[in-house]
Amino acid sequence: MTDTTSRSPGTGRGVKGIILAGGGGTRLRPLTGVLSKQVLPVYDKPMIHYPLSVLMLAGIREILVISSPEHLDLFRRLLGDGSRIGLDISYAEQPEPRGIAQALTIGAGHIGDSQVALILGDNIFHGPGFSSVLQGSIRHLDGCVLFGYPVSDPWRYGVGEIDDQGLLLSIEEKPSRPRSNLAITGLYLYDNDVVDIAADIRPSARGELEITDVNQVYLEQKRARLTELGRGFAWLDMGTHDSLLQAGQYVQLLGQRQGVRIACVEEIALRMGFIDADALFALGREYGNSTYGAYLMEVASRTAGEGGPTGGFTEARRPESAQRTWRQPPRKGR
């Protein structure tokens, strides 16, 4: 099996990843009557591929997926142990949804003595140089790093106020008079102190372990920073029928107009050096006659032609289905 030690390129420090894919998805019913919302399709791939891609872009390879007992097997069947794309994926149960910070207590053994990146399973992030932003944040991590996104309706979100250096000054939950327009997104980076901090958090009035309480401890220690995802970035939360549809349309539009496949975890695995072009080509072939599979084979072919990591793959073996202009093969019997 591929060495899956979590290392962010250039940092030399271990980082673990956690995807919180729990909750009942009640706002998406009846779609979530028998399925976890994080396996619902967002255009051409399951929802969980989007947060998974973020952790991969950060250079993280050891990832824990947390979900409810009745849904956990879906993720095992979908993602396996992660080795096909150079990852080491494990799983843990969240018996009842008791707040985002519960992921840090459930995942304490997974975190061990490492830093950790926690991401919610229904968030999409996309923007130029995002991999460098993530890796830079991890490289200089001392405390916690949150990510803020400017919104026109900040009273609907947790809002962060920062100084000129990006130091977090205050956090407000759905304020009636927001001090800024920076909504705190569902991506959190923490040093190893978060294991003890989360263990000491007590349930709020609504019976949940609030992530804001964790962040507040770092804020009081003056070790909380907020990175603004400004112009050119997109952050989408897929918690409602409308936002799920809008997310799919956004992914479709970029793919059709710019040829950009957002959150293509197989391609990201190649770009990050987790797998080679041979492995990518084989993954594309497994998807049969789908345009997604054809895209993977095309990327593998192009990488081989540019002298990338091929593992023996040669451009001469590039099939018609991997051409830029993809054509559906004729059906049998016609």
Side-chain angles (χ1 to χ4, degrees), residues 5-8 15 22-23 32 35 55 57 69 100 109 119 122 126 137 139 171 188 199 203 214 262 284 303 326:
T5 302
S6 295
R7 296 289 172 188
S8 294
V15 186
T32 52
L35 291 173
L55 298 182
L57 287 171
I100 296 173
I119 188 168
D122 60 356
H126 178 251
S137 296
R139 186 177 300 112
I171 302 173
Y188 316 86
V214 173
I262 298 176
T303 301
W326 183 83

Side-chain angles (χ1 to χ4, degrees), residues 234-317:
W235 168 58
L236 302 169
D237 177 346
M238 299 169 284
T240 67
H241 296 104
D242 285 344
S243 61
L244 179 62
L245 177 62
Q246 290 163 3
Q249 291 172 332
Y250 175 79
V251 174
Q252 179 192 37
L253 186 64
L254 280 182
Q256 291 179 345
R257 292 193 175 182
Q258 300 182 12
V260 175
R261 294 240 177 199
I262 298 176
C264 181
V265 294
E266 299 88 353
E267 181 181 10
I268 292 171
L270 176 72
R271 304 301 185 200
M272 297 297 294
F274 300 167
I275 62 174
D276 61 20
D278 259 350
L280 182 65
F281 186 86
L283 290 171
R285 189 161 48 196
E286 288 180 16
Y287 288 121
N289 290 329
S290 71
T291 55
Y292 191 91
Y295 174 80
L296 297 183
M297 289 189 286
E298 178 192 353
V299 171
S301 300
R302 190 167 60 242
T303 301
E306 294 170 353
T310 64
F313 177 82
T314 63
E315 183 71 0
R317 290 160 51 195

Side-chain angles (χ1 to χ4, degrees), residues 137-301:
S137 296
I138 290 173
R139 186 177 300 112
H140 303 292
L141 182 59
D142 177 20
C144 82
V145 175
L146 311 178
F147 294 85
Y149 187 79
V151 296
S152 58
D153 49 355
W155 52 87
R156 295 181 54 236
Y157 303 91
V159 174
E161 179 190 12
I162 57 175
D163 64 14
D164 294 339
Q165 305 301 315
L167 191 67
L168 197 59
L169 299 176
S170 68
I171 302 173
E172 300 177 288
E173 281 296 324
K174 299 181 180 180
S176 57
R177 295 183 178 180
R179 297 179 183 178
S180 84
N181 69 335
L182 292 178
I184 296 175
T185 68
L187 174 61
Y188 316 86
L189 304 180
Y190 297 107
D191 65 11
N192 191 253
D193 290 346
V194 77
V195 174
D196 292 332
I197 291 172
D200 289 338
I201 296 297
R202 295 293 173 260
S204 65
R206 57 178 185 168
E208 295 193 354
L209 299 178
E210 306 286 355
I211 198 68
T212 298
D213 291 342
V214 173
N215 298 334
Q216 192 68 38
V217 172
Y218 282 105
L219 178 65
E220 292 170 358
Q221 295 176 353
K222 300 187 183 302
R223 295 198 302 136
R225 305 189 67 84
L226 188 141
T227 297
E228 181 177 352
L229 303 177
R231 187 180 298 273
F233 276 88
W235 168 58
L236 302 169
D237 177 346
M238 299 169 284
T240 67
H241 296 104
D242 285 344
S243 61
L244 179 62
L245 177 62
Q246 290 163 3
Q249 291 172 332
Y250 175 79
V251 174
Q252 179 192 37
L253 186 64
L254 280 182
Q256 291 179 345
R257 292 193 175 182
Q258 300 182 12
V260 175
R261 294 240 177 199
I262 298 176
C264 181
V265 294
E266 299 88 353
E267 181 181 10
I268 292 171
L270 176 72
R271 304 301 185 200
M272 297 297 294
F274 300 167
I275 62 174
D276 61 20
D278 259 350
L280 182 65
F281 186 86
L283 290 171
R285 189 161 48 196
E286 288 180 16
Y287 288 121
N289 290 329
S290 71
T291 55
Y292 191 91
Y295 174 80
L296 297 183
M297 289 189 286
E298 178 192 353
V299 171
S301 300

Side-chain angles (χ1 to χ4, degrees), residues 62-79:
E62 289 185 69
I63 297 168
L64 177 69
V65 176
I66 298 176
S67 189
S68 58
E70 63 268 27
H71 292 149
L72 212 54
D73 191 52
L74 290 173
F75 295 106
R76 288 194 179 98
R77 288 157 54 194
L78 177 65
L79 302 173

